[in-house]
Amino acid sequence: MKNSIVSALLISVALASTAYGSAIKQTKGDFEDKFRQLEEVLPTPNVYRNASGEPGERYWQQQVDYKIKVSLDEKKRRINATEDIRYQNNSPYRLKYLWVQLDQNRFKDDSIANMASNFGGMGRRGPVNTVGDANTATKLNLNELRAMHFKADNELGYEIKAVKDSRGNKLTFTVVGTQMRVDLPKPLKSGDDVDFTIDFAFNIVEENAVSARSGYEKFDDGNDIFLLAQWFPRLHAYTDYEGWNNKEFLGRGEFTLEFGNYEVEIDVPADHIVSSTGVLTNPKSVLTKTQRKRLEQAKKAKRPVFIVTEEEALENEKAGTDKRKTWVFKADNVRDFAWASSRKFMWDAKGYKQGGDEMPHVMAMSFYPKEGGDLWKKYSTESVIHTMEVYSRFSFDYPYPTAQSVNGPVGGMEYPMITFNGPRTELQDDGSRTYSQAEKRFLIGVVIHEVGHIYFPMVVNSDERQWTWMDEGLNSFLDGVAGREWDPTIPWGVEPRDIVGYMKSQHQVPIMTQSDSVLRLGPNAYTKPAAALNILREVILGRELFDFAFKEYAERWMFKRPTPSDFFRTMEEASGVDLDWFWRGWFYSTDHVDISIDKVYKMRLDTHNPDIDYARLRDIENNKPPSRFVERNKAEGKELWVDRNSDVTDFYDDNDRFTVTNKERNKYQKFLKDLKPWERKTLERAVKEDKNYYVLEFSNLGGLVMPILLELTYTDGTNESQYIPAEIWRRSPKQVRKLIVTDKNKELLSVAVDPGWETADVDVENNHYPRQIIPSRVEAYKAKKSSDKVKRDIMQDIKTKLKTEDDKEEKNH
């Protein structure tokens, strides 16, 4: 034990705060207040958004209703449509024009997204490659070439055929990249509405070629799956915090839209099955009697019921038809509308009884081709229901009548009541379809995540174009909760330990960065905020306070448009805890967590009784390691002078420097006499208890202040956990000390900081006192010569026989 904890005598209680050596010293003028109030940077509360994070007494938002007739030209892979729009101006301002989003224009050659693309720059997930490095060849991969070829071979973007008012008169419009300004004949007053019509068409992109969040996928059997999203001109958001949201669509920053009611007529080939936002209002026109009966059975089924079976889908694949059907869907109070269509779809469904008054019964449904196989049959619809079960606990009852998962070329994307999800099975030589464990986990995880987005941001309508983390981060936190309630052995990627690599990397920007400017979107907008919320829930607030506050935020902003300040303020106001330091550190900085325990001092209370204190000093002196020099002299038999001359003695041969005198005893008696009664009582109790006093010294190397989680291990083999709030760093954000007092028979053996890896501490080596050997792995390998990569033995290789198609065929047999 004495080798574990540094010992020192505490000469007086007041000396407990005496400064010892430290790893980080704060110098004059470099103090940074990590606990400054966030109100300095948040927008000023007003009548639209109050200081508690609630919608204000005059909160408003616009409403936009759509009636759309759309026709899918399967052969040309083209959309032709007409939309009637009613825009309700609920703002207190007059509007002279309206701004419309034209997302398909992103694929035009002259779009900002195309012209400003940085070859080899920062991609969606981080650095693509290094340009200009003499040792790294600049690469143009086949995916990039494929996208270039598709854009060159197809005319992309909207064809705006007409923009007319309700009387059929042409309206002046101006296209600005992915936006269109529609000039009104007269200003639209507060409280008034305006009707107008847009006739439009566009060629659908091939999703696998262009990576567009939607599009078509062509199969070898001659059929396609069409996923249609961002497909119709949609009104930009007009808000109290920004006015018109005029940020160009560059592809990463997603969408912010107005709520409204939709009625959409979708004209497709008669053998297609359509999945869509909303409720099908004409089932008798598009579904068979058998299919309608199956839908009724599915409402109360224990497991998903097939509305369109695999055998029926395979029959649809074979034929094709020139006949058409029109599917009509209605959706109330949604902020967007998406749909999918294919003759390849099988369709299963299962009812979810969530109870409540608003939407007691929800139909969970999945649409997928044969390529989805058992993976989709077993897990897609069940994952949809599991998501609603978990998310509703943290927010509100699922508010819509359907929740759908559709398989197609999009890996994962969300819209009201419908999601696009990508994983599939693999066709084997024996005709069976199998899937890996990774694909299974991916499907469950992506369905949970995308259906979760129907809560955030499809209902809690945050501005994705500006703050990706407000939907992706909050949703990643919740999908981690739902995922670990599904199967905790699956790595969900939202634990604090999952973000440490990013937090100490060079490619960082604060979470509070506009979406298109984020360098590494995945860690920044998904993992880091999710891990932060995990820490806030599990470490700082505790589940009860966090869950209450989070649910309050969701309910306050259901069907409304929150900003980050509304989230921050609500979480503080509803939990009752000042969290400004937490938002500043995690969301406004690139600091990381690295708390080091540098020293531990063991001290003992000075009793002022010389007979006790000097005896203790003598013990300390006697317990020091002996001099190596003296030990070797003794081993060599060297005789000491005092032994050879034992007849020469004096007072100090019988009394050392720790001998107590009556003068010192008298001084002690006077000391006791001069104490006030409460002081003497306090001292006598402390002397009697004779506790151990340990001073633990910590350094904040990462800059991000956090609670200090301690595990104290004692010599008797027991352990104890202690929680030191983050506020310990308030006046000394670089280095602090903490006094730990234990009973005299409870001696400290070792100390560990954050032993459960709960705070995203990036360096665990300095989390132990005494220091520990950290397990690692060293792999021996033979270094390759740089010339090995391009080594060609032409003299030998030219002897190789050229293989023919006949050779390949023979090998296959």
Side-chain angles (χ1 to χ4, degrees):
M1 185 266 172
K2 293 180 179 178
N3 293 328
S4 300
I5 304 298
V6 177
S7 297
L9 179 66
L10 181 59
I11 302 302
S12 107
V13 174
L15 291 183
S17 61
T18 301
Y20 296 92
S22 60
I24 295 180
K25 292 185 178 179
Q26 189 163 292
T27 59
K28 184 178 180 181
D30 71 346
F31 176 77
E32 180 183 358
D33 185 1
K34 302 285 188 177
F35 292 82
R36 288 177 63 186
Q37 291 301 286
L38 202 61
E39 296 301 314
E40 298 175 11
V41 297
L42 295 182
T44 303
N46 52 48
V47 294
Y48 308 130
R49 299 165 189 275
N50 71 23
S52 295
E54 292 182 286
E57 59 181 348
R58 297 185 188 176
Y59 174 84
W60 56 267
Q61 62 188 31
Q62 311 292 59
Q63 172 149 340
V64 190
D65 300 330
Y66 297 84
K67 290 185 177 180
I68 308 175
K69 294 181 178 180
V70 55
S71 179
L72 170 63
D73 188 329
E74 184 177 26
K75 292 182 180 179
K76 293 183 179 180
R77 298 186 174 107
R78 183 173 173 83
I79 286 293
N80 291 281
T82 295
E83 61 178 341
D84 296 326
I85 303 171
R86 170 165 289 182
Y87 188 90
Q88 174 71 38
N89 181 16
N90 296 323
S91 80
Y93 311 108
R94 293 194 317 162
L95 302 177
K96 294 192 296 183
Y97 46 78
L98 306 176
W99 279 101
V100 179
Q101 299 186 59
L102 301 178
D103 299 324
Q104 292 295 321
N105 282 3
R106 178 171 75 91
F107 308 112
K108 285 178 170 286
D109 289 337
D110 61 353
S111 71
I112 292 179
N114 277 331
M115 293 192 297
S117 62
N118 176 25
F119 177 66
M122 300 300 295
R124 179 179 173 88
R125 300 188 182 278
V128 177
N129 57 36
T130 305
V131 178
D133 186 342
N135 297 319
T136 305
T138 301
K139 298 178 181 179
L140 181 64
N141 65 46
L142 292 178
N143 289 329
E144 291 170 308
L145 286 171
R146 182 184 186 185
M148 290 169 55
H149 294 162
F150 183 86
K151 292 176 182 179
D153 295 342
N154 295 273
E155 186 175 348
L156 302 179
Y158 283 109
E159 177 188 351
I160 303 297
K161 298 178 179 180
V163 181
K164 299 171 290 188
D165 66 15
S166 58
R167 296 182 179 180
N169 300 315
K170 291 183 179 180
L171 294 177
T172 301
F173 64 91
T174 303
V175 175
V176 184
T178 60
Q179 304 172 90
M180 178 173 69
R181 191 188 72 238
V182 177
D183 298 329
L184 301 176
K186 61 179 182 180
L188 183 63
K189 296 179 181 179
S190 175
D192 288 353
D193 57 56
V194 62
D195 296 328
F196 64 103
T197 299
I198 301 177
D199 297 335
F200 64 95
F202 66 89
N203 295 321
I204 305 169
V205 299
E206 184 180 356
E207 159 65 21
N208 288 332
V210 179
S211 184
R213 300 181 190 269
S214 64
Y216 71 86
E217 177 184 13
K218 57 185 179 182
F219 290 78
D220 292 338
D221 58 24
N223 294 299
D224 292 347
I225 289 179
F226 294 91
L227 303 181
L228 278 302
Q230 297 92 254
W231 60 279
F232 62 100
R234 304 171 294 171
L235 267 294
H236 260 304
Y238 183 73
T239 70
D240 62 276
Y241 60 83
E242 190 179 19
W244 286 108
N245 187 315
N246 290 124
K247 288 182 172 59
E248 178 82 3
F249 182 37
L250 302 178
R252 175 182 285 180
E254 295 185 35
F255 320 105
T256 181
L257 301 155
E258 307 287 8
F259 285 104
N261 301 321
Y262 287 72
E263 184 175 336
V264 182
E265 299 179 15
I266 303 174
D267 174 53
V268 296
D271 54 358
H272 273 219
I273 296 297
V274 176
S275 167
S276 173
T277 297
V279 174
L280 180 65
T281 62
N282 65 334
K284 291 183 178 180
S285 300
V286 294
L287 301 180
T288 67
K289 185 177 180 180
T290 300
Q291 290 168 342
R292 298 197 303 273
K293 183 179 179 181
R294 291 169 180 169
L295 263 176
E296 284 299 316
Q297 293 172 344
K299 290 181 179 179
K300 298 181 180 180
K302 182 179 180 181
R303 293 292 179 214
V305 172
F306 278 98
I307 316 306
V308 176
T309 66
E310 182 172 8
E311 293 73 22
E312 292 165 345
L314 290 174
E315 284 300 314
N316 284 342
E317 282 189 7
K318 294 177 182 177
T321 179
D322 293 330
K323 295 180 180 180
R324 311 283 295 183
K325 282 185 180 179
T326 299
W327 299 58
V328 181
F329 292 89
K330 290 189 68 175
D332 293 334
N333 207 17
V334 294
R335 69 166 218 168
D336 202 355
F337 192 100
W339 54 285
S341 183
S342 178
R343 65 176 51 85
K344 290 178 66 67
F345 282 152
M346 60 183 87
W347 171 11
D348 72 42
K350 176 182 172 181
Y352 167 52
K353 297 179 182 179
Q354 72 170 350
D357 298 327
E358 294 298 321
M359 196 63 61
H361 191 274
V362 180
M363 286 302 292
M365 301 188 289
S366 296
F367 300 78
Y368 47 96
K370 63 179 182 294
E371 287 79 5
D374 283 348
L375 177 62
W376 275 72
K377 293 175 186 177
K378 292 180 179 180
Y379 298 115
S380 177
T381 298
E382 296 290 356
S383 298
V384 173
I385 293 175
H386 177 73
T387 306
M388 292 187 285
E389 289 173 338
V390 175
Y391 274 64
S392 295
R393 294 204 322 263
F394 284 82
S395 54
F396 39 75
D397 285 350
Y398 185 84
Y400 296 125
T402 63
Q404 300 160 74
S405 171
V406 182
N407 181 242
V410 177
M413 198 62 202
E414 74 283 351
Y415 304 94
M417 302 186 228
I418 184 172
T419 64
F420 301 156
N421 304 300
R424 288 184 181 149
T425 59
E426 186 76 21
L427 180 63
Q428 303 301 333
D429 292 339
D430 62 1
S432 65
R433 288 191 170 274
T434 60
Y435 50 88
S436 67
Q437 183 186 53
E439 286 164 335
K440 173 185 173 180
R441 290 175 168 181
F442 180 27
L443 176 68
I444 297 167
V446 74
V447 171
I448 291 173
H449 182 84
E450 304 307 338
V451 173
H453 270 311
I454 301 177
Y455 293 80
F456 304 90
M458 297 300 149
V459 176
V460 180
N461 185 22
S462 58
D463 187 343
E464 301 173 272
R465 188 64 55 87
Q466 295 203 72
W467 304 295
T468 298
W469 71 266
M470 282 198 73
D471 69 293
E472 297 295 358
L474 269 61
N475 188 41
S476 294
F477 160 70
L478 284 177
D479 81 44
V481 175
R484 286 170 289 188
E485 288 188 25
W486 178 286
D487 182 355
T489 64
I490 299 176
W492 295 99
V494 294
E495 300 283 357
R497 67 190 67 179
D498 297 320
I499 197 61
V500 294
Y502 172 68
M503 291 189 71
K504 62 182 179 182
S505 73
Q506 298 300 310
H507 299 290
Q508 281 195 79
V509 293
I511 291 176
M512 282 293 292
T513 299
Q514 192 271 329
S515 302
D516 294 305
S517 298
V518 173
L519 299 182
R520 297 178 62 193
L521 194 69
N524 185 278
Y526 293 71
T527 314
K528 185 176 178 181
L533 293 179
N534 263 306
I535 292 170
L536 189 60
R537 183 179 189 236
E538 303 293 346
V539 176
I540 297 167
L541 291 180
R543 292 189 172 188
E544 182 178 356
L545 286 181
F546 179 94
D547 293 354
F548 177 84
F550 193 89
K551 191 175 184 70
E552 180 70 15
Y553 165 74
E555 291 177 343
R556 283 180 178 182
W557 293 98
M558 186 180 183
F559 295 117
K560 296 182 177 68
R561 180 179 284 109
T563 66
S565 61
D566 300 315
F567 178 68
F568 297 150
R569 285 168 170 155
T570 295
M571 291 299 293
E572 287 197 14
E573 192 265 351
S575 69
V577 178
D578 183 355
L579 298 170
D580 286 8
W581 62 272
F582 183 81
W583 309 128
R584 275 189 179 277
W586 279 92
F587 288 78
Y588 286 87
S589 83
T590 56
D591 291 344
H592 58 265
V593 182
D594 185 6
I595 297 175
S596 169
I597 180 164
D598 300 323
K599 296 187 176 85
V600 178
Y601 300 91
K602 180 187 178 185
M603 298 181 290
R604 199 173 189 184
L605 186 68
D606 186 352
T607 69
H608 289 272
N609 185 336
D611 290 300
I612 296 176
D613 292 341
Y614 278 108
R616 290 178 178 176
L617 287 172
R618 181 181 289 111
D619 289 340
I620 292 174
E621 183 71 19
N622 292 337
N623 285 327
K624 288 181 179 180
S627 164
R628 180 63 60 86
F629 188 95
V630 172
E631 290 294 300
R632 285 178 175 172
N633 279 350
K634 186 184 296 185
E636 293 175 1
K638 286 187 168 55
E639 188 178 5
L640 301 179
W641 187 92
V642 294
D643 291 334
R644 293 197 311 268
N645 303 278
S646 57
D647 58 319
V648 181
T649 62
D650 65 6
F651 173 82
Y652 292 105
D653 285 302
D654 297 317
N655 297 276
D656 60 14
R657 58 194 177 95
F658 302 113
T659 298
V660 180
T661 68
N662 289 334
K663 180 179 179 181
E664 289 157 337
R665 293 186 177 100
N666 292 336
K667 183 180 179 181
Y668 171 59
Q669 293 301 324
K670 184 178 184 305
F671 166 75
L672 293 177
K673 183 178 180 182
D674 291 343
L675 289 177
K676 296 177 182 179
W678 70 265
E679 291 176 326
R680 182 164 183 167
K681 183 178 180 181
T682 300
L683 178 62
E684 288 175 347
R685 175 178 172 177
V687 171
K688 180 180 179 182
E689 290 178 344
D690 194 19
K691 290 182 178 291
N692 298 308
Y693 298 86
Y694 297 96
V695 175
L696 281 57
E697 185 175 295
F698 304 94
S699 295
N700 182 358
L701 303 177
L704 187 55
V705 296
M706 285 291 286
I708 304 174
L709 308 185
L710 293 180
E711 183 180 64
L712 307 176
T713 300
Y714 298 100
T715 53
D716 61 5
T718 61
N719 296 292
E720 179 187 358
S721 296
Q722 286 202 16
Y723 176 93
I724 304 175
E727 281 74 8
I728 193 174
W729 304 99
R730 181 176 289 277
R731 296 186 179 182
S732 181
K734 295 184 178 181
Q735 196 244 3
V736 294
R737 298 177 180 86
K738 183 66 178 177
L739 176 66
I740 303 291
V741 182
T742 68
D743 291 336
K744 61 182 178 181
N745 60 345
K746 206 75 173 173
E747 295 195 61
L748 197 57
L749 179 66
S750 64
V751 179
V753 174
D754 190 18
W757 295 3
E758 299 175 72
T759 66
D761 196 309
V762 304
D763 184 2
V764 298
E765 291 187 25
N766 58 28
N767 286 10
H768 299 273
Y769 195 92
R771 292 290 185 256
Q772 293 185 355
I773 297 176
I774 305 299
S776 185
R777 184 172 69 92
V778 177
E779 180 180 356
Y781 66 96
K782 180 180 179 181
K784 292 184 178 180
K785 298 178 182 178
S786 58
S787 59
D788 289 347
K789 298 179 181 179
V790 294
K791 183 178 179 180
R792 297 176 63 217
D793 186 350
I794 301 176
M795 184 181 294
Q796 175 62 28
D797 294 348
I798 202 168
K799 302 174 185 177
T800 304
K801 178 185 176 183
L802 181 64
K803 292 184 177 179
T804 65
E805 291 298 325
D806 292 339
D807 294 330
K808 295 178 182 177
E809 188 70 25
E810 182 179 343
K811 180 179 179 181
N812 290 336
H813 285 292

